[in-house]
Amino acid sequence: MENSVRSANLDWIKATHPDLLPIVEHKYGDGYSITISRSGVPTLALGEIQIHSAYDPIIEADRLAVKALESVPVGNLVVLFGLGMGYFAEAVAKRQSSQIAVVEADPGILPVAVEHGRLASLGDARLIIDSNRDVALEKLRNFANSVGGWSKITFLHHAPSVKRFSLYYAEIESCVKAQATQLTESLAILVVTPLYGGSLPIAKYCANAFSRLGHRVEMLDNSIYDPASRQLENISADRKHRKALMDGLFNLMSDSIIAKALDKSVDLVWLVAQSPMTPHVASELRKLHIPTAFWFVEDWQYREYWKDFAGQYDYFFTIQDSGFHEALARKGVKHFKKLDLAADPDVHKPLKLNAEQLAEFGSDVSHVGAGFRNRRQVFSGLTAYDFKLWGNDWEDSGLLRRHLQRDGARISTEESVRIFNASKININLHSSQFHDGVNPDGDYLNPRTFELAAARAFQIVDHRSDLPARFKRDEEIVVFDDARELAPLIEHYLAHPDERIRIAEAGYKRVLADHTYDKRMSEALNYIFAYEPVRASTRHPNHIDNLIKDASGDDDLLSLLNELKLEGVVTLDDIVERIRMRGGPLGKAEQIYLLMYEFRRWMAEKEAA
Amino acid sequence: MQTAPLVSAAVGKSDPEQVHLLVDSSLESTAHMIEGVAEVHTIDRGHFARELAANRLSSAALLIKNLIDRLNSVAFDIVTNITHTAESAYLSSLVQAKEHQGLIGSRHGNYSTEAWSRLFRATLPRRSEGVFHLIDLHRKIAGLGTPSSEDSWLKTKDSFVFPDQPAGPILTIQPGANNPLRMWPVAHFASVVSVIKKQIPTLTVALVGSKSEKPLAAEFLQYYSHQAIDLVGKTTLEELAGVIAGSTLVLSGDTGTIHLAAALQIQTAGIYLGMARAYDTAPYRSGSLVFEPGQQCYPCPEDHRCGHVSCHKDIPPEAVASALVALLNGGEVEPFQAKTFQLRKVGFDSNHCLELSSWDDIPFREIKRHYWVQEFSPNPAKSSPLPASPETLSVLAITANAITAARQLEAELVRGNSAADPRKNLKLAMTEMEKQANLPGKIGLLCHLFQLEVVNVPNDPLQIIKTIRVALENLARRLETFPDRHIAPELSLRRAV
């Protein structure tokens, strides 16, 4: 019988935790003694400590699990401390619908559990076994990230197992809790936009999302420099001179990041593709302990400038993974994660259009986008339809000219949303300059996929490898794998308006549930702050804890800072405001801050003059 | 440099070992030059500013804390704040002492319990009406008497040795100034010196100034056809003091150099332009000359950006030259008023306050100074009486008549005379009073000039008149120290009150 227990457990380890196999071959940990309990199943003691019941370990574990789970809020992630032989873990796992993790400090327990324990009954539970706390924490972090982040986590203790390594578990718990709580707090996030281009609105959608998530958003809107940069382009015929001037502008925008980040005491700087930041500024921010995150919302294989900058960001988000993540790792990027594009439901939304607008923006078939090679090729087959083509770069497009609206002018976001709403069928063909028809290697989904769905618009989209995991084909979205399938699909759905409505509605629900910028930004923050061991702001020199620490040599300053009951990163204004609200004779420390306040005001006046 | 007479006055008051100065670190060596200063403490405001600009709160706070700890190890008796910034108010009150003078900090701002510094603040917005020199105000704020010494207020090292041991007078000039608005054209300086040189061929001319003023020296030498010793940018402050100590006369704008000269008791002639105003910052030495322009807009308000600098053309170089020739020849120069400028001469009044003799552009200035000295003096009886003058008599007449008018009006109101009813506010009451006293506009002016406490009174004619009357009587009492014998019997205040 023992042999069959061992082989079942071993199979489970092989299938689910191959990384643990080397430990299985170790000998038992010191001091463990296995006996048979009164109920007939094996039980375990460690010296004087009885790890499992000597009477009935299964009933004991059930009883403990029921009691422990009473305190777990619905939907919370359960992390169990202490594996033992797996009785308790089994009892918890079978009562939890979501995946649980089991953390164990002593690798010496694993051979015991494999030999005599209940591992095979643990289902999808994740074992994290490492005597090194930091390694265990890192594994736990990866687990948490894979199942939805730190924010909702409950720790259960298998008391007899935990006792011997209480410090180890306490440290893990406090570390995780510190990270989890910081996400429920409001962060201050500096969003840096590019000068212009497709990623500019995305930066703004990110800012809106952060704001809706309850964070304080500071904006560095570099699009204000767009007219200036155009001026610079024309200022001289000398290319070197033009470059020097543009570099100057780039440095200015970049330096503004530090100025604003310091002024507003931000916890994070968020940049998107094309947002300007020099390596110098990146390293200054690093010195100031202000983390930077960059969302590269471009195709890594066609836009290669990431190679020069990737290493300077603390967190690098991509819209593609295969190959790219390996390339980033080779560039020394430590933290990277795939983050799909999304929609902003405040912008991309169903609209009620009047007859005039329907006439202007409506058609049987439409496409909004630039005239890339594959689009020209595919759309030339749609000229028989009531087909409206919107967007720029459609010069020399032959027969398609007749379908081009507004003579190829740029279409604003607002107008795009009207077109989505007014068109019976929106064709969404991911652009390619290198293919005819559908790009067979296409992976990520363009913003249009999510935006159309969020507008409750009906779309036919070309196949992308990311698509099946995001939308249910034919239920939430209609897909064509080959350009030749497009016309028959158009025919079909023009003839079946009810199907169009049903699919658009389902796609709309899917986007709102899973593919908003709010979801993405929340995911990004979960990822970032799982790696920031303490909330960034607590490392800010003006975090109240640090001010108190710095004041430790002076009783007056120390007691004032304690008495003012300030929280988080504080400003001189905060301190002075509190001082002014107090009564009684003015203390020494109070006067020092008032002096600083007045001196700073004098400096500002002098500067203004 | 303008602190030097104050230190001299403080030395006269207490043990000279006890006078310490707290200055910005950039002024440390200057402060050491002042005679009677036992110790100089410094605050590195540049460093402090950098810490604050970088938002390093802990480090900025510790800078101040350490400074205060150092200062408090001295155990001062009196701390006198002679600056007027809000920041200095807190700095001052942070230093422990038995007594604080000047601005100190409070939870909601800064204030002074001391009357002179309140007066100073009250007159700041109307600087052109101020009647006290800054040094006198600071002397009063600090409760100090007159400078204890008639000699130099600076520790001078050896005088500069002028080449060739000049037999004639030595004229030292600084053509530059820290603000272009205050800077007289270099060509004018050169014309002045050229005229003098013609009349006094033994004259030696030295040019001084900071390194940044070197181009001005070069410009001067283009206009001036004789030799001049160009020391611009070549002296330390101590060496500059040596040059000035060896000079007969110093000519410049309102610069550190001219105050250095005054502190060394060297004769000076100042060309005051732009926002430089003689009543505030004339060289603090009896006999100093100050030329001021006659423009309506002079003096500029502080931080003013003037586009025309018309005042730079007002003072003719010939007039300056002839005054300087007279001085260098050992003669007296009398103040006078010309069409486009005036020449003022520094003197001191009976209260030892700086007075500029010239035409009467500030009404009642002497009597105002006297009034405030009386008002704030802890021991008014000891104050010197003011000699009668047409101005004095005029104020007395107005005050006496105003008090009489106020009393009449008050009596009417008490009787319920309906004629007084419509006067529901201060202005109306004042006008009515002026009408009764036959003094149109004068009572309002009097109240304004003496900042009598007639604001914030209840909206009741009787109360208004009462307040004005009490204020006027208070003024009258202060003016009582006029010796009666100089005053016409019918104007005697004692009788009026």
Side-chain angles (χ1 to χ4, degrees):
Chain A
M1 184 197 158
E2 272 183 22
N3 256 349
S4 72
V5 168
R6 180 186 157 80
S7 80
N9 286 339
L10 205 54
D11 286 347
W12 183 82
I13 289 282
K14 277 179 188 159
T16 57
H17 294 80
D19 56 311
L20 294 179
L21 279 171
I23 315 178
V24 175
E25 303 309 320
H26 286 192
K27 51 183 196 346
Y28 290 0
D30 285 344
Y32 287 116
S33 65
I34 296 123
T35 52
I36 300 297
S37 66
R38 296 268 178 93
S39 66
V41 294
T43 189
L44 180 68
L46 180 70
E48 299 288 297
I49 306 168
Q50 193 70 40
I51 303 257
H52 297 294
S53 165
Y55 298 91
D56 192 334
I58 294 173
I59 286 180
E60 177 205 49
D62 277 332
R63 199 167 36 78
L64 288 174
V66 169
K67 198 161 178 245
L69 287 169
E70 275 171 5
S71 63
V72 179
V74 176
N76 260 25
L77 177 66
V78 169
V79 173
L80 177 60
F81 284 161
L83 173 65
M85 292 171 75
Y87 289 113
F88 184 56
E90 179 193 4
V92 170
K94 76 181 179 196
R95 285 173 175 78
Q96 274 297 97
S97 56
S98 55
Q99 197 181 8
I100 69 161
V102 184
V103 180
E104 173 55 59
D106 180 16
I109 194 80
L110 189 63
V112 180
V114 167
E115 204 73 43
H116 308 284
R118 314 285 289 190
L119 299 182
S121 320
L122 290 183
D124 64 356
R126 183 88 220 146
L127 293 190
I128 294 167
I129 303 178
D130 207 296
S131 56
N132 182 323
R133 188 208 66 181
D134 289 337
V135 175
L137 193 59
E138 182 66 23
K139 288 180 177 172
L140 185 58
R141 177 177 291 138
N142 290 335
F143 168 73
N145 281 334
S146 70
V147 295
W150 295 110
S151 47
K152 290 178 170 182
I153 206 161
T154 304
F155 293 96
L156 300 181
H157 296 228
H158 181 236
S161 305
V162 166
K163 207 168 178 179
R164 194 160 56 121
F165 299 99
S166 54
L167 185 63
Y168 170 97
Y169 292 111
E171 282 177 350
I172 289 183
E173 186 166 347
S174 68
C175 204
V176 170
K177 277 188 174 157
Q179 292 166 28
T181 50
Q182 76 205 352
L183 287 176
T184 62
E185 281 174 40
S186 168
L187 300 163
I189 301 169
L190 175 60
V191 176
V192 182
T193 85
L195 257 181
Y196 58 85
S199 51
L200 173 61
I202 293 177
K204 293 183 177 171
Y205 302 147
C206 295
N208 293 344
F210 286 134
S211 186
R212 281 188 297 259
L213 290 170
H215 303 296
R216 173 162 66 83
V217 174
E218 300 293 342
M219 202 70 179
L220 207 54
D221 185 356
N222 287 312
S223 66
I224 59 164
Y225 298 114
D226 188 26
S229 82
R230 287 170 207 271
Q231 289 282 325
L232 294 183
E233 284 294 336
N234 297 321
I235 217 158
S236 165
D238 186 326
R239 240 186 59 202
K240 272 192 299 199
H241 290 177
R242 286 203 308 272
K243 187 183 176 303
L245 292 170
M246 284 306 287
D247 285 350
L249 178 62
F250 191 80
N251 284 329
L252 169 78
M253 294 188 288
S254 185
D255 288 346
S256 304
I257 298 175
I258 293 192
K260 190 127 184 172
L262 279 177
D263 187 45
K264 302 293 180 188
S265 297
V266 301
D267 300 310
L268 173 69
V269 176
W270 178 265
L271 307 102
V272 299
Q274 313 280 353
S275 295
M277 184 167 78
T278 58
H280 167 71
V281 165
S283 85
E284 286 300 307
L285 287 170
R286 211 162 263 181
K287 279 186 216 155
L288 292 163
H289 306 296
I290 301 173
T292 55
F294 179 69
W295 193 11
F296 186 69
V297 290
E298 306 203 68
D299 192 319
W300 71 287
Q301 281 169 315
Y302 300 132
R303 304 303 301 268
E304 294 191 326
Y305 69 90
W306 60 269
K307 287 180 183 165
D308 300 327
F309 295 105
Q312 73 182 25
Y313 306 102
D314 297 315
Y315 301 94
F316 198 107
F317 294 96
T318 67
I319 54 172
Q320 293 154 293
D321 46 15
S322 51
F324 191 15
H325 286 185
E326 288 78 359
L328 286 172
R330 280 196 299 276
K331 284 275 169 197
V333 180
K334 287 200 184 76
H335 304 301
F336 41 79
K337 180 177 168 59
K338 187 173 171 188
L339 198 63
D340 284 345
L341 286 157
D344 183 340
D346 282 351
V347 177
H348 313 108
K349 57 190 176 189
L351 298 174
K352 276 207 174 102
L353 299 176
N354 58 35
E356 201 182 321
Q357 289 169 326
L358 283 171
E360 184 183 357
F361 298 108
S363 65
D364 281 355
V365 182
S366 76
H367 172 81
V368 186
F372 283 90
R373 167 179 156 174
N374 63 331
R375 288 179 179 163
R376 287 166 183 252
Q377 189 258 337
V378 172
F379 297 163
S380 61
L382 303 181
T383 51
Y385 295 103
D386 169 24
F387 176 49
K388 282 187 181 171
L389 188 55
W390 305 82
N392 43 312
D393 296 335
W394 290 98
E395 293 80 11
D396 307 320
S397 50
L399 282 177
L400 285 171
R401 287 291 308 177
R402 282 197 294 121
H403 300 269
L404 184 63
Q405 307 297 305
R406 296 190 182 172
D407 204 25
R410 274 192 90 90
I411 304 297
S412 70
T413 302
E414 205 180 17
E415 287 173 326
S416 301
V417 179
R418 286 184 187 165
I419 296 163
F420 300 163
N421 274 275
S423 307
K424 288 179 185 163
I425 296 174
N426 291 276
I427 304 295
N428 179 11
L429 174 58
H430 287 77
S431 63
S432 174
Q433 211 63 302
F434 308 97
H435 302 89
D436 286 329
V438 176
N439 174 0
D441 305 319
D443 46 10
Y444 67 92
L445 293 179
N446 61 12
R448 189 59 39 83
T449 314
F450 302 105
E451 293 166 3
L452 279 163
R456 212 196 276 136
F458 179 77
Q459 68 176 306
I460 302 180
V461 62
D462 57 328
H463 176 76
R464 309 284 285 179
S465 58
D466 276 357
L467 197 67
R470 313 292 185 271
F471 292 94
K472 285 183 191 147
R473 189 168 172 151
D474 298 333
E475 285 178 37
E476 294 166 348
I477 204 160
V478 174
V479 183
F480 64 106
D481 299 294
D482 186 294
R484 281 167 298 188
E485 296 168 13
L486 190 54
L489 283 170
I490 290 172
E491 297 285 347
H492 173 84
Y493 285 105
L494 281 178
H496 296 88
D498 51 328
E499 287 184 33
R500 289 206 311 263
I501 291 166
R502 179 172 50 75
I503 293 170
E505 180 66 31
Y508 175 63
K509 283 184 179 152
R510 170 63 58 204
V511 147
L512 292 192
D514 293 336
H515 305 305
T516 59
Y517 282 99
D518 293 23
K519 287 266 167 198
R520 302 291 187 257
M521 294 307 103
S522 172
E523 201 179 331
L525 292 181
N526 271 323
Y527 179 78
I528 292 166
F529 286 96
Y531 286 100
E532 293 295 313
V534 191
R535 177 172 158 183
S537 61
T538 64
R539 285 182 289 163
H540 190 286
N542 293 344
H543 190 279
I544 187 65
D545 295 348
N546 295 328
L547 292 182
I548 287 174
K549 204 167 67 196
D550 295 341
S552 60
D554 185 85
D555 292 345
D556 295 310
L557 286 171
L558 191 63
S559 56
L560 174 70
L561 289 170
N562 279 317
E563 285 163 20
L564 291 182
K565 305 232 178 305
L566 292 153
E567 284 176 358
V569 175
V570 299
T571 64
L572 190 51
D573 295 13
D574 297 335
I575 297 175
V576 167
E577 193 187 314
R578 294 282 171 102
I579 289 174
R580 296 223 158 120
M581 277 157 51
R582 285 151 62 100
L586 207 51
K588 173 181 160 191
E590 289 178 318
Q591 297 195 56
I592 288 178
Y593 284 110
L594 288 166
L595 189 164
M596 286 159 61
Y597 180 81
E598 294 296 350
F599 190 78
R600 197 189 55 179
R601 194 162 68 173
W602 172 81
M603 276 161 54
E605 279 168 13
K606 204 175 103 179
E607 232 169 73
Chain B
M1 276 308 137
Q2 296 194 73
T3 309
L6 288 176
V7 175
S8 176
V11 168
K13 186 180 174 178
S14 66
D15 181 344
E17 291 301 309
Q18 298 299 314
V19 181
H20 292 212
L21 282 182
L22 170 61
V23 296
D24 183 71
S25 49
S26 64
L27 296 172
E28 186 177 2
S29 60
T30 312
H32 275 299
M33 285 171 66
I34 296 172
E35 188 74 65
V37 173
E39 207 172 312
V40 175
H41 307 268
T42 59
I43 169 171
D44 187 344
R45 292 167 91 237
H47 185 190
F48 188 47
R50 284 192 297 280
E51 295 307 300
L52 277 179
N55 206 9
R56 288 190 281 269
L57 296 184
S58 288
S59 154
L62 289 175
L63 270 180
I64 299 301
K65 175 208 133 38
N66 292 338
L67 169 70
I68 297 303
D69 287 351
R70 281 202 306 277
L71 288 170
N72 282 340
S73 68
V74 178
F76 291 103
D77 294 306
I78 303 171
V79 173
T80 297
N81 182 7
I82 58 166
T83 72
H84 299 273
T85 59
E87 145 224 353
S88 74
Y90 293 107
L91 194 53
S92 173
S93 39
L94 275 164
V95 182
Q96 288 161 5
K98 290 176 192 146
E99 190 186 334
H100 284 87
Q101 296 164 338
L103 283 191
I104 53 172
S106 84
R107 204 169 283 284
H108 300 284
N110 51 73
Y111 69 99
S112 172
T113 53
E114 185 278 316
W116 284 101
S117 89
R118 290 221 303 264
L119 175 68
F120 177 75
R121 292 190 110 189
T123 51
L124 269 182
R126 293 193 301 269
R127 270 191 54 209
S128 60
E129 289 170 16
V131 291
F132 286 102
H133 191 274
L134 285 176
I135 291 177
D136 288 330
L137 265 176
H138 289 140
R139 250 183 348 103
K140 296 290 181 191
I141 289 169
L144 298 172
T146 50
S148 62
S149 162
E150 297 280 301
D151 300 334
S152 163
W153 297 321
L154 298 182
K155 302 169 192 164
T156 32
K157 290 182 187 164
D158 305 329
S159 286
F160 177 79
V161 179
F162 285 89
D164 305 331
Q165 291 184 325
I170 299 166
L171 173 61
T172 295
I173 296 175
Q174 179 173 6
N178 66 353
N179 184 321
L181 287 184
R182 298 167 165 223
M183 212 186 289
W184 206 34
V186 176
H188 285 7
F189 280 105
S191 313
V192 169
V193 184
S194 301
V195 172
I196 302 174
K197 182 76 181 175
K198 223 177 262 173
Q199 298 185 35
I200 309 175
T202 55
L203 180 79
T204 298
V205 176
L207 299 176
V208 295
S210 65
K211 277 200 180 79
S212 64
E213 292 169 6
K214 280 189 165 192
L216 300 177
E219 193 186 338
F220 180 95
L221 293 171
Q222 276 181 3
Y223 296 122
Y224 184 59
S225 50
H226 304 275
Q227 267 203 329
I229 304 165
D230 178 8
L231 299 170
V232 176
K234 294 173 188 163
T235 56
T236 62
L237 192 65
E238 285 85 351
E239 288 163 347
L240 176 64
V243 172
I244 288 168
S247 304
T248 319
L249 174 65
V250 171
L251 170 67
S252 94
D254 183 6
T255 59
T257 300
I258 206 165
H259 297 295
L260 185 64
L264 289 163
Q265 304 298 340
I266 299 295
Q267 176 61 275
T268 61
I271 311 284
Y272 277 42
L273 302 166
M275 59 280 288
R277 178 174 176 265
Y279 259 117
D280 296 331
T281 57
Y284 199 76
R285 177 185 176 274
S286 191
S288 300
L289 300 184
V290 181
F291 291 86
E292 283 191 308
Q295 292 288 327
Q296 282 289 316
C297 56
Y298 171 81
C300 304
E302 279 296 332
D303 302 328
H304 182 65
R305 290 174 202 187
C306 174
H308 53 79
V309 292
S310 320
C311 62
H312 289 197
K313 299 179 212 101
D314 279 2
I315 303 166
E318 307 75 44
V320 177
S322 70
L324 264 54
V325 167
L327 269 185
L328 291 168
N329 283 332
E332 278 292 315
V333 176
E334 287 311 316
F336 65 93
Q337 181 195 351
K339 202 171 163 191
T340 60
F341 73 100
Q342 58 177 322
L343 170 59
R344 295 181 184 274
K345 191 172 172 183
V346 172
F348 290 88
D349 71 8
S350 52
N351 285 308
H352 307 288
C353 290
L354 185 141
E355 161 68 344
L356 290 165
S357 46
S358 74
W359 100 98
D360 181 18
D361 57 341
I362 304 173
F364 316 130
R365 64 181 193 280
E366 205 173 351
I367 206 165
K368 267 174 87 173
R369 277 202 300 269
H370 188 77
Y371 171 78
W372 290 120
V373 170
Q374 292 294 317
E375 181 73 22
F376 297 153
S377 170
N379 194 355
K382 279 191 179 171
S383 315
S384 324
L386 188 73
S389 66
E391 180 186 63
T392 312
L393 298 178
S394 150
V395 171
L396 289 173
I398 295 166
T399 314
N401 288 343
I403 291 170
T404 311
R407 286 182 172 172
Q408 273 175 21
L409 208 56
E410 220 177 306
E412 276 177 40
L413 286 165
V414 171
R415 278 200 304 274
N417 190 324
S418 60
D421 281 349
R423 296 176 291 268
K424 290 279 187 204
N425 59 48
L426 178 64
K427 199 164 180 230
L428 277 176
M430 200 83 92
T431 314
E432 180 65 20
M433 223 166 73
E434 287 168 349
K435 215 165 75 190
Q436 291 211 11
N438 197 20
L439 291 165
K442 285 286 167 80
I443 298 175
L445 178 67
L446 200 67
C447 292
H448 171 63
L449 287 177
F450 290 92
Q451 285 148 23
L452 301 179
E453 299 291 329
V454 287
V455 288
N456 300 326
V457 287
N459 192 15
D460 168 8
L462 183 60
Q463 283 301 314
I464 293 170
I465 300 297
K466 254 191 189 166
T467 312
I468 296 175
R469 197 247 307 151
V470 169
L472 287 168
E473 283 172 0
N474 185 37
L475 171 65
R477 261 194 300 281
R478 291 296 169 228
L479 297 180
E480 263 181 23
T481 47
F482 290 126
D484 274 355
R485 64 180 184 280
H486 292 301
I487 300 168
E490 70 273 18
L491 292 178
S492 168
L493 276 172
R494 214 182 289 276
R495 224 157 296 160
V497 176

